[in-house]
Amino acid sequence: MLKLDISMIGVPVDFGQSRRGVDMGPSAIRYAGAAERLRELGHQVTDEGNIAISAIQENHCEDSGLKNLKEVTAATEELAAAISNIVKDKKFPLVLGGDHSIAIGTLAGLAAHYERLGVIWYDAHADMNTSETSPSGNIHGMPLAVSMGLGHEDLINVHHDGAKVDPQNIVIIGARALDPGERKLIKEKGVKVFTMHEVDRYGMSAVIQKTLDYLASRQVDGVHLSLDLDGLDPLYTPGVGTPVPGGITYRESHLAMELLEDSGVITSAEFVEVNPILDTYNKTADVAVGLMGSLFGEKLL
């Protein structure tokens, strides 16, 4: 197993959605022993702390119809700069969320260093809404669309102008709650999606192999894993803001992480949407850390 120099950074943001508490996700994941788990595997881990976030009293919409647009933009700008510096230092970025809007910043920071960045989006949702299609105005349902160059210009132009990811370099795994506008966009842009139908039909091993083969055919020069804990069935991860029944199992998720580790293609990762207020005895953060263990080389024997 390759020993990595990992820079772990927390993003205590809950601006991208309406349920408070997910800003405490980085603390919950740290409390569950993320850094210690990875150090036991032989990796060098530097906890960079949290990016600075200004508090807001309540969620608000502006003329754009997007909730907390200025705050999300500022936070993702800050994160993008931090991620870019981590990559410059030739370290592995590991991001702890925070709601999934933070991926706008993560992908912006990464895209500055990759010509053909690949993305594995492990999530119950596609997160490909725009202000025109979103039923809620929550930006945590928009990061993939934004990263593809669709949406509000303030978000699209975080860190550097324009799209950060080619839609055909994206693979979504575990989708089971798609809005009408997202379905249309997936088909128009040619985004590869393995819904729960494919996971059930082919099995997780085949889905991951198909994902790796697909990204290899696209000749990506880096692969980012963006893992939303609601990608798993809420039986295993109760502490998420938008749980969707019928999700990926605990064991399937560990297998997916083990297979991704075996492939050696993952160059950055983020774990998002852990909300300790909604959780039971920090169970969801414990699952997140367990999956990190598998992603970074933990074996039974």
Side-chain angles (χ1 to χ4, degrees), residues 28 31 37 40 42 51 59 67 81 98 105 138 145 152 156 162 171 183 195 201 242 246 249 263 268 275 296:
Y31 181 77
R37 188 80 164 254
E40 287 174 1
I51 67 167
N59 290 309
K67 293 177 183 174
N138 291 333
H152 196 284
I156 294 171
V171 180
R183 295 190 189 101
T195 68
R201 184 173 182 178
T242 50
T249 70
S263 74
S268 55
N275 189 330
F296 289 97

PDB file of all heavy atoms in Angstrom, residues 28 31 37 40 42 51 59 67 81 98 105 138 145 152 156 162 171 183 195 201 242 246 249 263 268 275 296:
ATOM      1  N   ALA A  28     -17.353  16.138  14.371  1.00  0.00           N
ATOM      2  CA  ALA A  28     -17.828  14.779  14.637  1.00  0.00           C
ATOM      3  C   ALA A  28     -16.906  13.740  14.006  1.00  0.00           C
ATOM      4  O   ALA A  28     -16.609  12.696  14.612  1.00  0.00           O
ATOM      5  CB  ALA A  28     -19.254  14.616  14.099  1.00  0.00           C
ATOM      6  N   TYR A  31     -13.753  13.613  15.996  1.00  0.00           N
ATOM      7  CA  TYR A  31     -14.017  12.919  17.259  1.00  0.00           C
ATOM      8  C   TYR A  31     -14.075  11.407  17.058  1.00  0.00           C
ATOM      9  O   TYR A  31     -13.681  10.633  17.947  1.00  0.00           O
ATOM     10  CB  TYR A  31     -15.338  13.417  17.845  1.00  0.00           C
ATOM     11  CG  TYR A  31     -15.711  12.791  19.172  1.00  0.00           C
ATOM     12  CD1 TYR A  31     -15.086  13.197  20.344  1.00  0.00           C
ATOM     13  CD2 TYR A  31     -16.686  11.800  19.253  1.00  0.00           C
ATOM     14  CE1 TYR A  31     -15.414  12.628  21.569  1.00  0.00           C
ATOM     15  CE2 TYR A  31     -17.022  11.215  20.457  1.00  0.00           C
ATOM     16  CZ  TYR A  31     -16.380  11.638  21.618  1.00  0.00           C
ATOM     17  OH  TYR A  31     -16.706  11.062  22.811  1.00  0.00           O
ATOM     18  N   ARG A  37      -6.974   6.953  12.750  1.00  0.00           N
ATOM     19  CA  ARG A  37      -7.219   5.760  11.943  1.00  0.00           C
ATOM     20  C   ARG A  37      -6.250   5.707  10.762  1.00  0.00           C
ATOM     21  O   ARG A  37      -5.682   4.656  10.452  1.00  0.00           O
ATOM     22  CB  ARG A  37      -8.664   5.801  11.428  1.00  0.00           C
ATOM     23  CG  ARG A  37      -9.180   4.555  10.715  1.00  0.00           C
ATOM     24  CD  ARG A  37      -9.606   3.492  11.719  1.00  0.00           C
ATOM     25  NE  ARG A  37     -10.431   2.461  11.119  1.00  0.00           N
ATOM     26  CZ  ARG A  37     -11.748   2.338  11.298  1.00  0.00           C
ATOM     27  NH1 ARG A  37     -12.407   3.213  12.055  1.00  0.00           N
ATOM     28  NH2 ARG A  37     -12.407   1.336  10.756  1.00  0.00           N
ATOM     29  N   GLU A  40      -2.575   5.085  11.818  1.00  0.00           N
ATOM     30  CA  GLU A  40      -2.333   3.679  12.147  1.00  0.00           C
ATOM     31  C   GLU A  40      -2.049   2.857  10.894  1.00  0.00           C
ATOM     32  O   GLU A  40      -1.414   1.802  10.979  1.00  0.00           O
ATOM     33  CB  GLU A  40      -3.543   3.105  12.889  1.00  0.00           C
ATOM     34  CG  GLU A  40      -3.665   3.592  14.322  1.00  0.00           C
ATOM     35  CD  GLU A  40      -4.944   3.120  14.995  1.00  0.00           C
ATOM     36  OE1 GLU A  40      -5.735   2.395  14.332  1.00  0.00           O
ATOM     37  OE2 GLU A  40      -5.153   3.482  16.167  1.00  0.00           O
ATOM     38  N   GLY A  42      -0.209   3.936   8.553  1.00  0.00           N
ATOM     39  CA  GLY A  42       1.116   4.323   8.092  1.00  0.00           C
ATOM     40  C   GLY A  42       1.174   5.599   7.287  1.00  0.00           C
ATOM     41  O   GLY A  42       2.242   5.991   6.814  1.00  0.00           O
ATOM     42  N   ILE A  51     -11.316  25.778   7.694  1.00  0.00           N
ATOM     43  CA  ILE A  51     -11.264  27.089   7.056  1.00  0.00           C
ATOM     44  C   ILE A  51     -12.167  28.035   7.849  1.00  0.00           C
ATOM     45  O   ILE A  51     -13.132  27.618   8.490  1.00  0.00           O
ATOM     46  CB  ILE A  51     -11.675  27.039   5.576  1.00  0.00           C
ATOM     47  CG1 ILE A  51     -13.157  26.682   5.417  1.00  0.00           C
ATOM     48  CG2 ILE A  51     -10.814  26.076   4.792  1.00  0.00           C
ATOM     49  CD1 ILE A  51     -13.669  26.928   4.018  1.00  0.00           C
ATOM     50  N   ASN A  59     -31.006  31.487   7.465  1.00  0.00           N
ATOM     51  CA  ASN A  59     -30.909  31.341   6.018  1.00  0.00           C
ATOM     52  C   ASN A  59     -31.682  32.459   5.323  1.00  0.00           C
ATOM     53  O   ASN A  59     -32.708  32.918   5.808  1.00  0.00           O
ATOM     54  CB  ASN A  59     -31.480  29.987   5.594  1.00  0.00           C
ATOM     55  CG  ASN A  59     -30.597  28.833   6.022  1.00  0.00           C
ATOM     56  OD1 ASN A  59     -29.404  28.834   5.763  1.00  0.00           O
ATOM     57  ND2 ASN A  59     -31.179  27.841   6.688  1.00  0.00           N
ATOM     58  N   LYS A  67     -30.261  30.272  -1.718  1.00  0.00           N
ATOM     59  CA  LYS A  67     -30.083  30.551  -0.299  1.00  0.00           C
ATOM     60  C   LYS A  67     -28.605  30.780   0.030  1.00  0.00           C
ATOM     61  O   LYS A  67     -27.750  29.989  -0.344  1.00  0.00           O
ATOM     62  CB  LYS A  67     -30.628  29.399   0.537  1.00  0.00           C
ATOM     63  CG  LYS A  67     -32.138  29.249   0.454  1.00  0.00           C
ATOM     64  CD  LYS A  67     -32.627  28.058   1.248  1.00  0.00           C
ATOM     65  CE  LYS A  67     -34.138  27.892   1.083  1.00  0.00           C
ATOM     66  NZ  LYS A  67     -34.631  26.646   1.735  1.00  0.00           N
ATOM     67  N   ALA A  81      -8.835  27.852  -2.563  1.00  0.00           N
ATOM     68  CA  ALA A  81      -7.451  28.307  -2.399  1.00  0.00           C
ATOM     69  C   ALA A  81      -6.657  27.337  -1.527  1.00  0.00           C
ATOM     70  O   ALA A  81      -5.496  27.024  -1.827  1.00  0.00           O
ATOM     71  CB  ALA A  81      -7.442  29.712  -1.791  1.00  0.00           C
ATOM     72  N   GLY A  98     -19.538  19.426   6.879  1.00  0.00           N
ATOM     73  CA  GLY A  98     -20.015  20.414   5.948  1.00  0.00           C
ATOM     74  C   GLY A  98     -21.001  19.825   4.938  1.00  0.00           C
ATOM     75  O   GLY A  98     -21.037  18.635   4.674  1.00  0.00           O
ATOM     76  N   GLY A 105     -15.988  24.367  -4.065  1.00  0.00           N
ATOM     77  CA  GLY A 105     -14.635  24.829  -3.760  1.00  0.00           C
ATOM     78  C   GLY A 105     -13.595  23.744  -3.946  1.00  0.00           C
ATOM     79  O   GLY A 105     -12.506  23.994  -4.481  1.00  0.00           O
ATOM     80  N   ASN A 138     -31.639  25.405  -2.430  1.00  0.00           N
ATOM     81  CA  ASN A 138     -30.498  24.967  -1.615  1.00  0.00           C
ATOM     82  C   ASN A 138     -29.297  24.675  -2.522  1.00  0.00           C
ATOM     83  O   ASN A 138     -29.370  23.834  -3.412  1.00  0.00           O
ATOM     84  CB  ASN A 138     -30.850  23.701  -0.831  1.00  0.00           C
ATOM     85  CG  ASN A 138     -31.859  23.953   0.263  1.00  0.00           C
ATOM     86  OD1 ASN A 138     -31.950  25.067   0.796  1.00  0.00           O
ATOM     87  ND2 ASN A 138     -32.615  22.936   0.621  1.00  0.00           N
ATOM     88  N   ALA A 145     -23.680  20.636 -11.020  1.00  0.00           N
ATOM     89  CA  ALA A 145     -24.068  21.538 -12.111  1.00  0.00           C
ATOM     90  C   ALA A 145     -23.121  22.730 -12.181  1.00  0.00           C
ATOM     91  O   ALA A 145     -22.644  23.105 -13.263  1.00  0.00           O
ATOM     92  CB  ALA A 145     -25.510  22.006 -11.917  1.00  0.00           C
ATOM     93  N   HIS A 152     -25.318  29.943 -11.288  1.00  0.00           N
ATOM     94  CA  HIS A 152     -25.009  31.352 -11.027  1.00  0.00           C
ATOM     95  C   HIS A 152     -23.535  31.627 -11.284  1.00  0.00           C
ATOM     96  O   HIS A 152     -22.662  30.857 -10.881  1.00  0.00           O
ATOM     97  CB  HIS A 152     -25.372  31.701  -9.581  1.00  0.00           C
ATOM     98  CG  HIS A 152     -25.461  33.166  -9.318  1.00  0.00           C
ATOM     99  ND1 HIS A 152     -24.346  33.965  -9.182  1.00  0.00           N
ATOM    100  CD2 HIS A 152     -26.534  33.999  -9.189  1.00  0.00           C
ATOM    101  CE1 HIS A 152     -24.716  35.216  -8.962  1.00  0.00           C
ATOM    102  NE2 HIS A 152     -26.045  35.261  -8.967  1.00  0.00           N
ATOM    103  N   ILE A 156     -19.968  29.581 -10.482  1.00  0.00           N
ATOM    104  CA  ILE A 156     -19.215  29.005 -11.595  1.00  0.00           C
ATOM    105  C   ILE A 156     -17.779  29.528 -11.620  1.00  0.00           C
ATOM    106  O   ILE A 156     -16.839  28.790 -11.945  1.00  0.00           O
ATOM    107  CB  ILE A 156     -19.907  29.318 -12.936  1.00  0.00           C
ATOM    108  CG1 ILE A 156     -21.254  28.603 -13.023  1.00  0.00           C
ATOM    109  CG2 ILE A 156     -19.029  28.927 -14.121  1.00  0.00           C
ATOM    110  CD1 ILE A 156     -22.088  29.030 -14.212  1.00  0.00           C
ATOM    111  N   GLY A 162     -15.184  29.799 -15.158  1.00  0.00           N
ATOM    112  CA  GLY A 162     -15.664  28.743 -16.027  1.00  0.00           C
ATOM    113  C   GLY A 162     -15.796  27.378 -15.392  1.00  0.00           C
ATOM    114  O   GLY A 162     -15.559  27.191 -14.192  1.00  0.00           O
ATOM    115  N   VAL A 171     -18.841  10.294 -12.789  1.00  0.00           N
ATOM    116  CA  VAL A 171     -19.623   9.078 -12.566  1.00  0.00           C
ATOM    117  C   VAL A 171     -20.357   9.220 -11.232  1.00  0.00           C
ATOM    118  O   VAL A 171     -19.735   9.448 -10.201  1.00  0.00           O
ATOM    119  CB  VAL A 171     -18.746   7.809 -12.524  1.00  0.00           C
ATOM    120  CG1 VAL A 171     -19.612   6.576 -12.297  1.00  0.00           C
ATOM    121  CG2 VAL A 171     -17.931   7.668 -13.804  1.00  0.00           C
ATOM    122  N   ARG A 183     -32.646  14.917 -14.312  1.00  0.00           N
ATOM    123  CA  ARG A 183     -32.744  13.809 -15.268  1.00  0.00           C
ATOM    124  C   ARG A 183     -32.489  14.308 -16.692  1.00  0.00           C
ATOM    125  O   ARG A 183     -31.771  13.675 -17.481  1.00  0.00           O
ATOM    126  CB  ARG A 183     -34.133  13.160 -15.191  1.00  0.00           C
ATOM    127  CG  ARG A 183     -34.440  12.469 -13.876  1.00  0.00           C
ATOM    128  CD  ARG A 183     -35.717  11.658 -13.988  1.00  0.00           C
ATOM    129  NE  ARG A 183     -36.145  11.161 -12.692  1.00  0.00           N
ATOM    130  CZ  ARG A 183     -37.111  11.699 -11.966  1.00  0.00           C
ATOM    131  NH1 ARG A 183     -37.766  12.764 -12.417  1.00  0.00           N
ATOM    132  NH2 ARG A 183     -37.436  11.188 -10.800  1.00  0.00           N
ATOM    133  N   THR A 195     -27.464   4.116 -10.975  1.00  0.00           N
ATOM    134  CA  THR A 195     -28.492   4.254  -9.956  1.00  0.00           C
ATOM    135  C   THR A 195     -28.498   3.012  -9.072  1.00  0.00           C
ATOM    136  O   THR A 195     -27.741   2.052  -9.299  1.00  0.00           O
ATOM    137  CB  THR A 195     -29.875   4.415 -10.608  1.00  0.00           C
ATOM    138  OG1 THR A 195     -30.218   3.168 -11.249  1.00  0.00           O
ATOM    139  CG2 THR A 195     -29.881   5.537 -11.628  1.00  0.00           C
ATOM    140  N   ARG A 201     -28.597  -4.690  -9.584  1.00  0.00           N
ATOM    141  CA  ARG A 201     -28.585  -5.644 -10.694  1.00  0.00           C
ATOM    142  C   ARG A 201     -27.198  -6.259 -10.929  1.00  0.00           C
ATOM    143  O   ARG A 201     -27.074  -7.470 -11.137  1.00  0.00           O
ATOM    144  CB  ARG A 201     -29.058  -4.941 -11.965  1.00  0.00           C
ATOM    145  CG  ARG A 201     -29.173  -5.859 -13.171  1.00  0.00           C
ATOM    146  CD  ARG A 201     -29.796  -5.138 -14.344  1.00  0.00           C
ATOM    147  NE  ARG A 201     -29.958  -6.008 -15.501  1.00  0.00           N
ATOM    148  CZ  ARG A 201     -30.515  -5.635 -16.639  1.00  0.00           C
ATOM    149  NH1 ARG A 201     -30.972  -4.391 -16.772  1.00  0.00           N
ATOM    150  NH2 ARG A 201     -30.621  -6.480 -17.655  1.00  0.00           N
ATOM    151  N   THR A 242     -30.729  14.784   4.306  1.00  0.00           N
ATOM    152  CA  THR A 242     -31.676  14.390   3.253  1.00  0.00           C
ATOM    153  C   THR A 242     -31.602  12.876   3.042  1.00  0.00           C
ATOM    154  O   THR A 242     -31.152  12.408   1.986  1.00  0.00           O
ATOM    155  CB  THR A 242     -31.383  15.128   1.938  1.00  0.00           C
ATOM    156  OG1 THR A 242     -29.983  15.002   1.614  1.00  0.00           O
ATOM    157  CG2 THR A 242     -31.733  16.596   2.054  1.00  0.00           C
ATOM    158  N   GLY A 246     -33.566   2.852   0.827  1.00  0.00           N
ATOM    159  CA  GLY A 246     -33.213   2.006  -0.303  1.00  0.00           C
ATOM    160  C   GLY A 246     -31.829   2.254  -0.851  1.00  0.00           C
ATOM    161  O   GLY A 246     -31.585   2.063  -2.043  1.00  0.00           O
ATOM    162  N   THR A 249     -25.584  -0.378   0.976  1.00  0.00           N
ATOM    163  CA  THR A 249     -25.380  -0.945   2.304  1.00  0.00           C
ATOM    164  C   THR A 249     -24.004  -0.573   2.849  1.00  0.00           C
ATOM    165  O   THR A 249     -23.100  -0.128   2.129  1.00  0.00           O
ATOM    166  CB  THR A 249     -25.494  -2.478   2.286  1.00  0.00           C
ATOM    167  OG1 THR A 249     -24.370  -3.027   1.584  1.00  0.00           O
ATOM    168  CG2 THR A 249     -26.793  -2.937   1.646  1.00  0.00           C
ATOM    169  N   SER A 263      -7.301   0.114  -6.825  1.00  0.00           N
ATOM    170  CA  SER A 263      -7.065   0.666  -8.162  1.00  0.00           C
ATOM    171  C   SER A 263      -5.949   1.702  -8.173  1.00  0.00           C
ATOM    172  O   SER A 263      -5.307   1.929  -9.209  1.00  0.00           O
ATOM    173  CB  SER A 263      -8.350   1.305  -8.703  1.00  0.00           C
ATOM    174  OG  SER A 263      -8.616   2.541  -8.053  1.00  0.00           O
ATOM    175  N   SER A 268      -7.790  12.529  -4.502  1.00  0.00           N
ATOM    176  CA  SER A 268      -8.338  13.438  -3.487  1.00  0.00           C
ATOM    177  C   SER A 268      -9.695  12.897  -3.071  1.00  0.00           C
ATOM    178  O   SER A 268     -10.295  12.095  -3.792  1.00  0.00           O
ATOM    179  CB  SER A 268      -8.486  14.867  -4.040  1.00  0.00           C
ATOM    180  OG  SER A 268      -9.265  14.879  -5.223  1.00  0.00           O
ATOM    181  N   ASN A 275     -24.347  15.177   9.974  1.00  0.00           N
ATOM    182  CA  ASN A 275     -25.018  16.126  10.862  1.00  0.00           C
ATOM    183  C   ASN A 275     -25.211  15.491  12.231  1.00  0.00           C
ATOM    184  O   ASN A 275     -26.120  14.690  12.438  1.00  0.00           O
ATOM    185  CB  ASN A 275     -26.375  16.537  10.277  1.00  0.00           C
ATOM    186  CG  ASN A 275     -27.012  17.685  11.044  1.00  0.00           C
ATOM    187  OD1 ASN A 275     -26.801  17.829  12.244  1.00  0.00           O
ATOM    188  ND2 ASN A 275     -27.811  18.489  10.360  1.00  0.00           N
ATOM    189  N   PHE A 296      -8.258   4.098   2.383  1.00  0.00           N
ATOM    190  CA  PHE A 296      -6.821   4.339   2.543  1.00  0.00           C
ATOM    191  C   PHE A 296      -6.047   3.078   2.925  1.00  0.00           C
ATOM    192  O   PHE A 296      -4.925   3.163   3.421  1.00  0.00           O
ATOM    193  CB  PHE A 296      -6.579   5.457   3.555  1.00  0.00           C
ATOM    194  CG  PHE A 296      -6.964   6.813   3.033  1.00  0.00           C
ATOM    195  CD1 PHE A 296      -8.196   7.370   3.337  1.00  0.00           C
ATOM    196  CD2 PHE A 296      -6.105   7.529   2.216  1.00  0.00           C
ATOM    197  CE1 PHE A 296      -8.560   8.615   2.843  1.00  0.00           C
ATOM    198  CE2 PHE A 296      -6.448   8.778   1.723  1.00  0.00           C
ATOM    199  CZ  PHE A 296      -7.680   9.322   2.036  1.00  0.00           C
TER     200      PHE A 296
END
